[in-house]
Amino acid sequence: ERGAFYYCEHLTEFIMPNTVMELTGTLTFANCTSLKKLHFSKALVNIPEETCENCYTLVDVLLPPVLQSIGANAFYRTKSLRKIDFPETLKSIGSYAFQESRLDTVRLPLNLTTLDYYAFGNCDSLKYVELSAYIPEYYHNFSDSYGINTIVCPSVIPPTIYYDPFSSGKDFSEITLYVPSISMLNYKL
């Protein structure tokens, strides 16, 4: 089912009423190529897949403070989006959710438990990543984000790495990894 504002090419700003509890279907704001500002309802717990796909000019996004999940491709190709603040309530980010955005910093909530494949893939401007403490494994989550130079991993137990979640073609000596000092030896093994 196509969303309510699908392909509204002249929509530039939308402040969602806080009475909105749910977005049904997908593609709610997809292909709104002039949309610059989107503030979601404070009551929303889920942003469905493809909600803002191809919103090329989107620069200002305010996520709900009670948000628990962001669906696959939700912010795919938001080529102007440089900053987003994730609420601590967020538990899941779907595949390709922010692929090809222009985020320069990603600070995942500490309690995030699911980060799907390529969630931040091809983010050319991405330089700094703070991982969650509770994601047990990483698999191509930041692939082809060539600018990453700093990764902070707060987990005392090193997560399992499948293939290269940061496959960027970079020599890892060019990336600084910060880990808890009490677990330094765990990361050296």
Side-chain angles (χ1 to χ4, degrees), residues 122-140:
N122 293 97
C123 292
D124 296 337
S125 299
L126 189 56
K127 304 222 178 312
Y128 180 91
V129 176
E130 281 184 23
L131 301 175
S132 165
Y134 297 103
I135 294 179
E137 58 191 37
Y138 289 90
Y139 178 81
H140 287 299

Side-chain angles (χ1 to χ4, degrees), residues 25-180:
T26 61
L27 302 164
T28 305
F29 296 97
N31 298 305
C32 291
T33 54
S34 298
L35 184 63
K36 288 182 176 20
K37 179 178 183 176
L38 176 59
H39 290 192
F40 287 96
S41 163
K42 291 181 180 178
L44 213 59
V45 295
N46 177 42
I47 295 177
E49 58 188 49
E50 301 169 332
T51 297
C52 294
E53 182 175 290
N54 297 323
C55 290
Y56 303 122
T57 60
L58 190 61
V59 294
D60 181 4
V61 174
L62 182 62
L63 297 176
V66 296
L67 185 65
Q68 293 182 13
S69 69
I70 296 174
N73 296 72
F75 294 91
Y76 179 66
R77 288 192 182 138
T78 49
K79 294 181 179 273
S80 298
L81 187 62
R82 291 190 138 330
K83 182 182 185 309
I84 195 156
D85 294 321
F86 298 111
E88 285 301 318
T89 55
L90 188 62
K91 302 282 187 224
S92 173
I93 298 176
S95 298
Y96 306 98
F98 290 90
Q99 183 177 7
E100 294 185 32
S101 73
R102 290 294 178 261
L103 296 172
D104 56 18
T105 297
V106 169
R107 288 183 170 91
L108 298 175
L110 285 177
N111 295 320
L112 187 78
T113 56
T114 303
L115 183 65
D116 285 339
Y117 183 80
Y118 245 79
F120 294 93
N122 293 97
C123 292
D124 296 337
S125 299
L126 189 56
K127 304 222 178 312
Y128 180 91
V129 176
E130 281 184 23
L131 301 175
S132 165
Y134 297 103
I135 294 179
E137 58 191 37
Y138 289 90
Y139 178 81
H140 287 299
N141 313 96
F142 298 88
S143 290
D144 301 319
S145 295
Y146 298 109
I148 296 174
N149 57 30
T150 304
I151 301 168
V152 177
C153 186
S155 180
V156 174
I157 299 169
T160 302
I161 303 295
Y162 291 102
Y163 301 97
D164 179 5
F166 301 96
S167 61
S168 62
K170 262 190 172 182
D171 179 347
F172 279 104
S173 66
E174 298 175 32
I175 299 174
T176 304
L177 174 65
Y178 293 95
V179 300

